[in-house]
Amino acid sequence: MSSDGRRGATPRWTQTWLTGTRSAGVDLGEPGERLGLPVSGSGSAAGYGRRLGALFVDWALSLLVASLLTRAFDLEPSQRSLVTLAVFAVQAWVLTGLLGVTIGKRLFGVRVVRLDGRPLGLGWGLARAVLLIAVVPALIWDRDQRGLHDRAANTVVIKG
C-alpha cells in the first residue's frame, strides 16, 4: 500500500531513504565499476567485511607487538595504547607501501593498488597510513567503497 492507503507501485516515503538509493529508482552501478574494475571475482572492489576483518587482524597483531615492546622497554602500561597506534601506523605504512598488503589483508585476500597501475610506494603509503590512523577519513566512503584515505592516495582495495 502507498502512503495514502491505495495499492500501487509508488514506494512509501520511508522506503526511499531507509533502504537506499536503489529503492528510490537510482542506479549508481556496482562498486568499482566506474573505476574499470570487474563486478566480481579477483580484481573487484573488496567489500566491507574483508576490509574490517583485515583491520581487526592488523590491530590485534599491533596490540601483541605493543605489549611485547612495553614489557621489553619497561614502559608504563598506560603508554601501550600509543605504542599500539605507532606499531599499527608503521605496519600499515611500510607493508602497504612496499607490498600492497598488510598481514591482515593477506589473510583476508585483499590488496591495495593504485588506480594508475604503478606501485603504491612509501610516499603515498605514508599519506594513506596517516589518514587511516586519523580514523575519520577512513570512515567516509564513496560508492566505490573507497575511504578518503584511498581517494587521497589514488588507491583502491581489491580482492585478490
Side-chain angles (χ1 to χ4, degrees), residues 35 37 45 111-113 115 144 146 150 154-158:
L35 301 174
L37 301 176
R111 60 190 167 101
V112 179
V113 296
L115 293 178
D144 294 312
R146 294 172 60 206
D150 283 319
N154 201 27
T155 59
V156 64
V157 180
I158 61 170

Side-chain angles (χ1 to χ4, degrees), residues 4 8 14 16 38 40 44 68 72 75 80 86 103 105 107 111 118 123 126 135 141 144-145 148 154 157 159:
D4 63 357
T14 54
T16 60
S40 63
S44 64
L68 295 173
L75 299 173
R80 187 175 66 195
I103 296 167
K105 283 182 178 57
L107 289 173
R111 60 190 167 101
R118 295 183 312 186
L126 178 62
V135 179
W141 297 57
D144 294 312
Q145 297 181 349
L148 290 181
N154 201 27
V157 180
K159 296 178 190 173

Side-chain angles (χ1 to χ4, degrees), residues 51-151:
R51 293 179 72 159
L52 286 174
L55 176 68
F56 286 131
V57 168
D58 290 338
W59 190 258
L61 291 172
S62 297
L63 277 169
L64 179 65
V65 171
S67 293
L68 295 173
L69 290 173
T70 302
R71 289 184 188 156
F73 291 108
D74 199 29
L75 299 173
E76 295 292 323
S78 62
Q79 295 173 314
R80 187 175 66 195
S81 61
L82 187 58
V83 174
T84 302
L85 186 62
V87 169
F88 179 80
V90 169
Q91 174 192 208
W93 169 42
V94 173
L95 293 178
T96 304
L98 294 177
L99 305 174
V101 295
T102 60
I103 296 167
K105 283 182 178 57
R106 180 72 177 203
L107 289 173
F108 278 83
V110 296
R111 60 190 167 101
V112 179
V113 296
R114 283 188 52 119
L115 293 178
D116 59 11
R118 295 183 312 186
L120 184 58
L122 291 175
W124 285 114
L126 178 62
R128 188 178 186 280
V130 167
L131 290 171
L132 180 63
I133 64 170
V135 179
V136 172
L139 295 176
I140 301 172
W141 297 57
D142 66 9
R143 67 182 178 184
D144 294 312
Q145 297 181 349
R146 294 172 60 206
L148 290 181
H149 62 301
D150 283 319
R151 291 179 61 94

